[in-house]
Amino acid sequence: MSITASADNSYAETKTQTPAKVKRQKKTVTSSYLKTLQQIHALTVGLVSCLGFVIAVALLLAGNTLSPIEIGTYLALTVVIGIGTTAGFHRHFTHKSFQAAMPVRVVLAVLGSMAAQGPLIFWVALHRLHHEHSDRPGDPHSPHFHGKGFFGMLRGLWHAHFAWTIDYDAPNATYYANDLLRDKVLSKVSQMYFLWVFLGFLIPTVAGGFLRGSWTGAFYGFLWGGLVRLFFWHNMVWCITSVAHVFGSRPLESHDMSTNNFLLAIPTLGESWHNNHHAFPNSAMAGLKWWQIDPTGWVIRALEKVGLVWDLKTPTARMMEAKTRSA
Ligand SMILES: [Zn+2]
Ligand SMILES: [Zn+2]
């Protein structure tokens, strides 16, 4: 069953808190301790994944060839963990674009956590903050406030791609993600974040070692299914915050500079139809035309077919027409 999407960008929880109390809450948390933790996390993930990528390329240049095991491990982990981020963290938990049974929610939350982009509740709160302030003051990763001209654009892209991760005010989860904080199971999954990140490395390492029957196999599993996967997927998600707010088309009115980017559709699993997404944030489908490749949307549709998810929100033709910019 499909239900109608909307363009609602308000995430403050008003069901269990009075509007006055919600209004009093700060939207971000100013804490030097928290900021230091964020910086350590961001720099560790950035440096370790870069190092892994450099080692992998150096080994290839030195003559090491990849077996189908490494390629398979890399692709499987990237897609499965990627879907955890896109269908789980993003479309389900942040935007409530479809309903799912608790076991499915837990699986999506664990897979998304393996991407090492922060605990579930933190990620959701941060992304809701982005939508509320998209390309306006308060947006943690807009590429549009860093000067004019070519170099201003480059500075903006660098900020929106990586630099923001080491210097932004953390979102107040009580304000932005109270729905998840009140959920005991998902709060627990969120608190166990580092275990899931560890599993995201352990699984490809064990798989590589087992399938090749050697420690070398375990090393290659760790390298390709762990570090290179981490490098690639982080860069794809960062391309959405940087490239997909600068380059591409803007067919729909979305009150920001988000774009649809065809070239990034497959590697981002459909997330690069970002102008569509900002126009209809709680649509389960980011690809809104038949030719807009949206692997995440296809997975959600497949899960709906087997009854694991339901109530997919999608915009009607009339809603899309109303938001279509005149040429
Ligand atoms: Zn955006
Ligand atoms: Zn979003």
Side-chain angles (χ1 to χ4, degrees):
M1 175 188 153
S2 286
I3 52 181
T4 305
S6 72
D8 185 12
N9 270 346
S10 172
Y11 297 104
E13 182 62 60
T14 53
K15 288 196 182 102
T16 56
Q17 303 178 60
T18 62
K21 191 177 174 193
V22 168
K23 210 172 177 185
R24 278 202 306 274
Q25 289 179 356
K26 286 192 167 177
K27 294 189 178 185
T28 55
V29 180
T30 309
S31 158
S32 55
Y33 172 71
L34 194 57
K35 186 160 264 186
T36 304
L37 286 184
Q38 288 166 215
Q39 288 170 335
I40 291 170
H41 181 277
L43 287 172
T44 304
V45 169
L47 291 174
V48 168
S49 62
C50 274
L51 186 65
F53 179 72
V54 169
I55 291 171
V57 171
L59 286 172
L60 287 177
L61 292 175
N64 284 51
T65 51
L66 285 179
S67 77
I69 293 172
E70 281 81 62
I71 297 170
T73 308
Y74 167 75
L75 287 177
L77 268 284
T78 300
V79 171
V80 170
I81 291 174
I83 290 294
T85 315
T86 58
F89 273 33
H90 190 208
R91 299 192 199 182
H92 176 63
F93 291 114
T94 303
H95 296 297
K96 304 180 181 177
S97 67
F98 58 90
Q99 301 291 315
M102 186 49 88
V104 176
R105 303 185 84 196
V106 170
V107 169
L108 288 172
V110 168
L111 291 176
S113 302
M114 288 181 182
Q117 295 180 356
L120 170 67
I121 291 175
F122 186 83
W123 198 104
V124 166
L126 186 62
H127 191 65
R128 287 175 177 176
L129 174 74
H130 164 61
H131 273 267
E132 191 172 72
H133 300 278
S134 186
D135 290 325
R136 296 191 302 277
D139 183 349
H141 45 65
S142 174
H144 294 288
F145 300 105
H146 305 274
K148 292 194 182 342
F150 179 71
F151 289 104
M153 183 186 72
L154 285 186
R155 276 195 298 276
L157 285 170
W158 170 243
H159 168 82
H161 197 78
F162 178 75
W164 73 273
T165 66
I166 52 174
D167 187 19
Y168 65 96
D169 290 332
N172 181 358
T174 311
Y175 180 85
Y176 282 108
N178 205 34
D179 54 328
L180 294 174
L181 278 173
R182 283 188 287 108
D183 187 309
K184 284 196 174 74
V185 176
L186 293 171
S187 286
K188 196 76 196 160
V189 173
S190 191
Q191 284 166 16
M192 295 164 74
Y193 167 66
F194 287 106
L195 173 65
W196 313 129
V197 173
F198 174 71
L199 275 185
F201 286 95
L202 184 67
I203 289 168
T205 306
V206 171
F210 180 74
L211 292 170
R212 273 223 199 185
S214 67
W215 287 107
T216 308
F219 170 72
Y220 278 115
F222 172 74
L223 184 64
W224 282 91
L227 295 180
V228 179
R229 178 263 304 167
L230 193 69
F231 177 83
F232 173 81
W233 186 241
H234 262 80
N235 275 286
M236 287 307 101
V237 172
W238 291 336
C239 274
I240 301 302
T241 56
S242 58
V243 176
H245 273 263
V246 176
F247 300 112
S249 60
R250 296 188 178 97
L252 300 177
E253 184 52 63
S254 62
H255 306 292
D256 54 36
M257 300 297 281
S258 58
T259 62
N260 283 346
N261 192 298
F262 178 78
L263 295 175
L264 288 168
I266 292 175
T268 62
L269 302 175
E271 295 290 82
S272 71
W273 305 113
H274 203 50
N275 176 244
N276 290 354
H277 173 61
H278 272 277
F280 298 105
N282 60 7
S283 169
M285 306 300 292
L288 298 177
K289 310 255 188 209
W290 68 266
W291 50 268
Q292 293 180 336
I293 299 165
D294 181 12
T296 299
W298 300 340
V299 169
I300 295 170
R301 287 270 190 226
L303 291 173
E304 183 192 33
K305 286 260 183 298
V306 295
L308 289 173
V309 308
W310 58 91
D311 286 355
L312 273 60
K313 291 177 186 163
T314 48
T316 61
R318 181 176 288 204
M319 288 167 72
M320 285 196 275
E321 199 182 322
K323 285 212 164 196
T324 301
R325 290 175 201 264
S326 49

